[in-house]
Amino acid sequence: MSENGPWGKVLTIDTMNPTVKKVEYAVRGPIVQRAVQIEKELREGVKKPFAEVIKANIGDAHAMGQQPITFFRQVLAMCSYPELLNDSSFPEDAKHRARRILQSCGGSSLGAYSASQGIDCVLQDVARYIERRDGGIPCNPENVYLTTGASDGIMTMLKLLVCGEDEGRTGVMISIPQYPLYSAALAELGAVQINYYLNEDKCWSMDLSELKRSLKEARRHCNPRALCIINPGNPTGQVQSRDCIEDVIRFAAKERLLLMADEVYQDNVYAEGCEFHSFKKVLFEMGPEYSDSVELVSFHSTSKCYMGECGFRGGYMEIINMDPEVKAQLNKLVSVRLCPPVPGQALMGLVVNPPQPGEPSYINFIKERSATLSALAEKARLTEEILNTVPGISCNPVQGAMYSFPSISLSKAAIEEAANDQAPDMFYCMRLLEETGICLVPGSGFGQKDGTYHFRMTILPPMDKLKVLLTKVKDCSLLPLPGHQGECWRTDKNHKLNK
Amino acid sequence: MSENGPWGKVLTIDTMNPTVKKVEYAVRGPIVQRAVQIEKELREGVKKPFAEVIKANIGDAHAMGQQPITFFRQVLAMCSYPELLNDSSFPEDAKHRARRILQSCGGSSLGAYSASQGIDCVLQDVARYIERRDGGIPCNPENVYLTTGASDGIMTMLKLLVCGEDEGRTGVMISIPQYPLYSAALAELGAVQINYYLNEDKCWSMDLSELKRSLKEARRHCNPRALCIINPGNPTGQVQSRDCIEDVIRFAAKERLLLMADEVYQDNVYAEGCEFHSFKKVLFEMGPEYSDSVELVSFHSTSKCYMGECGFRGGYMEIINMDPEVKAQLNKLVSVRLCPPVPGQALMGLVVNPPQPGEPSYINFIKERSATLSALAEKARLTEEILNTVPGISCNPVQGAMYSFPSISLSKAAIEEAANDQAPDMFYCMRLLEETGICLVPGSGFGQKDGTYHFRMTILPPMDKLKVLLTKVKDCSLLPLPGHQGECWRTDKNHKLNK
């Protein structure tokens, strides 16, 4: 007889949803749990070879000290407590935005449910933003859905799409390395994950031949129906070229794949010669042969770019060429959850409709935005530069987004040492955490070619901490591996790419 | 050849997720869509027999003009724009709460992701709240999870639970009438919905014999594993007695069912002699035989009670007696979505830790809270009173929550008229909307005994509008049904209950 009566629990690991068990999410996995524990130990006075944990595991700008955009927060404060609309210390443009948002809310309150698709004036503003971004290509607000962060939109779209059994089961192509929301969502939905590999030798670009190989192989055992792209890339920090995006669109059209473009880093482009091209713009510039037929969903969020407002869980998706009957089903599906968080909707509305030239907040807004983006550009450059001086580490340029995903050449001894119970790069990251307090995520959490090892680090820590982090990563490569006759963690084999 | 190239769309109604197609959600269904359309027509100057639409379809207090609690909004404004902490016009207790929340946020910003389980200080405050509410029965903050409204928590728990195929498929018992989130979630997850009927003749109480009947029948074709209770009831407005809750717990223990207690209306109790009893308190007062083994999850939210802050999507769930391995899976599952919206978490924290006696905001807080709750109590009374004077309508007392769910006796002619393409009560509500501008939800959207008809109306409209609404419902019962020789919508058969 178990401790819980004659039959034990109703809900056990053996009787729970098997698809949930298959879900993995490295960004908040064992490394981060251990980091939190170590922080607690440090607070309790446990002696460590370092004074603080530096977290570079998650794209969480504010947690790393980035300051919010003043204008956004002023408007949100007034929306939360409309008495402040009478406070003369707030600028008029901020008041105007707050009034406009409140007028679009039930009972003029952030506390009312919005329409499930989102607050009307925000949908309008998103549509105008997309039109400006894409050089005037029209956007119908009816095709815009506000979401609870981009994750929610991605999950909703995948949910609509998944069907079939056995060899007819829906397959979804995702890049490897990928952001593990995708693999987690596919596992949860019981869909088939189809891996296509980004080309590390060509700065993590997408490769048409690899897409073809991956699709051909997948067609043997499932029904591939969608292709997901993250651009700028997470965890790999590349910015796809216009040519590459055209190739991908032609491929999707020919192979009948719905495109899901995760474009949450659309303002995070640092490298010279790189530019963000939205999938929608490229699609429409390719002419009606494509723009009238290819089904595309594009995702954006308040969490990244220069604002980094992750906690508000704001986001939107734009659907293009969706079947009207499916759209009706999408409307129904989102209505069950009532609405995305209204403060996040309001924030999304501000992101797409920031202060304009001539408005009182404009100069300060531009100053704050530029400061953040140029600091990120500088950190991207520095990260690449320093990592590439480290023996055994090779790092592509961080062209965009917020991450570096360097390849690490682990010593045979380290691989052996790890082999028993974890992936070698998990072993590496865990040891790095224990010895230096640096919290990175192993490449195995994102996927990588067999026999290669990587880690993902964000470029978000403040400059002084980023330098400490990079120095520690560098120094640690020379530390001997206990019990392996002076062998080090990493080999000093210098397999630089793009040099 | 279709208009979309040789093969048509990738994603069509025939090739989408079939479980999504089965989802229904009446609260935002066709009636509400039509109401929105009518509002637009009115704005455009289309002549109608009424000047405005009165919406009583959804429990959205702020949309109906209820004012937010000043203290909550002051704290949220300061959390959004911490400069306001220096503003002398805000009271010290509000500043203290804002500082406490911000200190618990990464980078002292609402814009940082929180831990997936929630902001630490809010988890602590929720646990203390539960302990106070339940007369000191301990609550471990590790068993509390903040959620995106209660809906998110309910969906997450059901997701954990569902497994098996065919006759082994997980079944979940839900009350009929129910809040349609439950049926929608079960449809989406492909779980089996097991209906147990509330006893309308006994003021919508739960009936042990009905639970047994329902379970026995379900065991023939699925694997019943959970029992959901909404108390106070939605859409039925009843408050379950302590005895009834004890019966349910004994039943769940004996039959090995996990209990899901939706207690989002825990402060909404109006009727004399009625009292809210939390399932947790009753469970623990029944002694270790039950409290050591029965698995219980209780849900709460910021959306209802006296605050009515739906738009913030705040909520929590407390898990009791969950298997530790399952809890680890739950932790992983919630981490994929990163975190619930942080402003909603902050608000949940304020709801469970409001101003205390002696603090500067206390008196005003109590005043505002009491005003809302006593207005609701008065509206509950008035709704019951007026509806029960209407021929053909019979209405149980609104003991709690925010809804009346009266039975309507439709004329044979009305039923015939409806029969072709919709449920008779949908037909009734649609006609009522077209003729009077009143927006109610048909009982068929919540489930009801065959051959009975109901509607759900919220008691939230301001008193003057509520009176207009009730009068229109009353007058409309006597309107003739076109083409049916003077027969009316409703029969004047007076089948009053509890009279």
Side-chain angles (χ1 to χ4, degrees), chain A residues 10 73 80 159 188 295, chain B residues 10 62 73 80 159 188 295:
Chain A
V10 175
R73 294 306 196 88
S80 298
K159 198 182 281 172
E188 196 182 309
E295 293 151 79
Chain B
V10 176
H62 289 205
R73 293 306 195 90
S80 297
K159 197 182 283 173
E188 194 182 311
E295 291 149 82

Side-chain angles (χ1 to χ4, degrees), chain A residues 352-369:
Chain A
V352 295
N353 183 23
Q356 299 302 307
E359 289 189 324
S361 303
Y362 180 71
I363 292 174
N364 190 51
F365 166 72
I366 294 294
K367 204 179 99 195
E368 291 177 348
R369 185 179 68 174

Side-chain angles (χ1 to χ4, degrees), chain B residues 426-447:
Chain B
M426 170 65 94
F427 175 73
Y428 167 77
C429 289
M430 201 59 103
R431 295 306 316 168
L432 193 72
L433 173 63
E434 298 287 351
E435 288 172 22
T436 67
I438 303 296
C439 179
L440 308 174
V441 190
S444 45
F446 304 89

Side-chain angles (χ1 to χ4, degrees), chain B residues 48-307:
Chain B
K48 303 270 176 192
F50 48 87
E52 68 166 336
V53 172
I54 301 180
K55 284 189 195 156
N57 62 294
I58 189 165
D60 189 354
H62 289 205
M64 292 290 104
Q66 184 183 309
Q67 293 305 302
I69 298 285
T70 303
F71 179 80
F72 294 170
R73 293 306 195 90
Q74 288 176 330
V75 178
L76 288 169
M78 285 187 279
C79 288
S80 297
Y81 188 54
E83 283 288 308
L84 293 170
L85 286 163
N86 305 318
D87 184 332
S88 59
S89 66
F90 286 99
E92 280 307 315
D93 49 353
K95 289 185 180 177
H96 173 76
R97 292 295 195 297
R99 277 195 208 98
R100 183 154 181 275
I101 290 166
L102 288 175
Q103 276 162 14
S104 208
C105 290
S108 296
S109 171
L110 292 188
Y113 292 120
S114 74
S116 301
Q117 197 162 346
I119 300 174
D120 194 54
C121 80
V122 175
L123 297 174
Q124 305 278 346
D125 288 350
V126 167
R128 298 299 83 77
Y129 162 80
I130 293 172
E131 288 179 349
R132 286 195 308 276
R133 183 197 68 187
D134 291 342
I137 293 161
C139 172
N140 184 344
E142 285 184 20
N143 292 333
V144 176
Y145 290 75
L146 300 185
T147 58
T148 308
S151 305
D152 168 50
I154 292 164
M155 189 71 198
T156 300
M157 270 312 301
L158 290 173
K159 197 182 283 173
L160 274 184
L161 194 72
V162 171
C163 63
E165 294 299 326
D166 303 322
E167 287 173 18
R169 191 71 183 158
T170 293
V172 176
M173 299 180 72
I174 63 172
S175 61
I176 298 293
Q178 55 122 7
Y179 173 57
L181 166 71
Y182 289 90
S183 50
L186 295 174
E188 194 182 311
L189 293 165
V192 180
Q193 172 181 330
I194 305 171
N195 296 339
Y196 68 87
Y197 290 86
L198 298 175
N199 191 335
E200 185 166 12
D201 294 337
K202 290 189 178 161
C203 202
W204 299 114
S205 61
M206 285 176 86
D207 206 285
L208 198 56
S209 61
E210 169 58 13
L211 287 176
K212 287 180 185 161
R213 177 208 62 77
S214 157
L215 181 68
K216 192 176 162 194
E217 224 169 271
R219 285 219 164 108
R220 290 194 204 126
H221 60 91
C222 71
N223 178 17
R225 302 181 67 208
L227 168 55
C228 302
I229 306 100
I230 311 175
N231 179 50
N234 176 4
T236 38
Q238 82 284 17
V239 178
Q240 301 294 358
S241 70
R242 201 185 185 291
D243 283 353
C244 168
I245 293 172
E246 278 192 28
D247 281 350
V248 171
I249 291 172
R250 266 189 291 269
F251 174 76
K254 177 160 178 279
E255 302 292 352
R256 299 194 65 218
L257 297 166
L258 181 146
L259 283 171
M260 290 176 58
D262 180 340
E263 298 177 321
V264 300
Y265 300 97
Q266 54 192 266
D267 290 331
N268 296 109
V269 177
Y270 317 116
E272 220 157 298
C274 284
E275 200 185 328
F276 170 73
H277 303 278
S278 80
F279 265 77
K280 184 183 179 190
K281 181 162 193 263
V282 177
L283 176 68
F284 277 76
E285 287 174 356
M286 287 168 74
E289 185 189 348
Y290 295 95
S291 64
D292 286 354
S293 66
V294 173
E295 291 149 82
L296 168 66
V297 189
S298 161
F299 304 90
H300 195 16
S301 113
T302 59
S303 304
K304 312 297 171 186
C305 299
Y306 61 92
M307 52 282 181

Side-chain angles (χ1 to χ4, degrees), chain A residues 72-295:
Chain A
F72 293 170
R73 294 306 196 88
Q74 287 175 332
V75 178
L76 288 169
M78 286 187 278
C79 288
S80 298
Y81 187 54
E83 283 287 309
L84 292 171
L85 286 163
N86 305 319
D87 184 331
S88 58
S89 66
F90 286 99
E92 279 308 314
D93 50 351
K95 287 185 181 176
H96 173 76
R97 293 295 195 297
R99 279 195 207 99
R100 183 153 181 274
I101 290 166
L102 288 174
Q103 275 162 14
S104 207
C105 290
S108 298
S109 170
L110 291 188
Y113 292 120
S114 74
S116 301
Q117 198 162 345
I119 300 174
D120 194 53
C121 79
V122 176
L123 297 174
Q124 304 279 347
D125 289 350
V126 168
R128 296 301 83 78
Y129 161 81
I130 293 173
E131 290 179 350
R132 285 195 309 277
R133 183 196 68 187
D134 292 343
I137 293 161
C139 173
N140 184 343
E142 285 184 20
N143 291 333
V144 176
Y145 289 76
L146 300 185
T147 59
T148 307
S151 306
D152 169 48
I154 293 165
M155 189 73 197
T156 299
M157 271 311 304
L158 290 173
K159 198 182 281 172
L160 274 184
L161 194 73
V162 171
C163 65
E165 294 299 327
D166 303 324
E167 287 172 18
R169 190 72 181 157
T170 293
V172 176
M173 298 180 72
I174 63 172
S175 61
I176 298 294
Q178 55 120 11
Y179 174 58
L181 166 70
Y182 289 90
S183 50
L186 295 175
E188 196 182 309
L189 294 165
V192 180
Q193 173 181 331
I194 305 171
N195 296 338
Y196 67 88
Y197 290 86
L198 299 175
N199 191 335
E200 185 168 11
D201 293 336
K202 291 189 178 163
C203 202
W204 299 114
S205 60
M206 285 177 85
D207 207 285
L208 197 57
S209 61
E210 168 59 12
L211 287 175
K212 287 180 184 163
R213 178 207 62 75
S214 157
L215 182 68
K216 190 175 165 194
E217 223 171 272
R219 286 223 164 105
R220 290 193 202 126
H221 60 89
C222 72
N223 179 16
R225 302 182 67 210
L227 167 56
C228 301
I229 307 99
I230 312 175
N231 179 50
N234 176 4
T236 37
Q238 83 284 17
V239 178
Q240 301 294 358
S241 70
R242 201 184 184 291
D243 283 352
C244 168
I245 293 173
E246 278 193 27
D247 281 350
V248 170
I249 291 173
R250 266 188 292 268
F251 174 76
K254 176 159 182 278
E255 303 291 354
R256 301 193 65 217
L257 298 166
L258 181 146
L259 283 171
M260 291 177 58
D262 181 339
E263 299 179 318
V264 301
Y265 299 98
Q266 53 192 264
D267 290 332
N268 297 110
V269 177
Y270 316 117
E272 219 154 299
C274 284
E275 201 185 327
F276 170 72
H277 303 277
S278 80
F279 265 76
K280 184 184 178 192
K281 182 162 191 264
V282 177
L283 176 68
F284 277 73
E285 287 174 354
M286 287 168 73
E289 184 189 350
Y290 295 97
S291 64
D292 285 355
S293 66
V294 173
E295 293 151 79

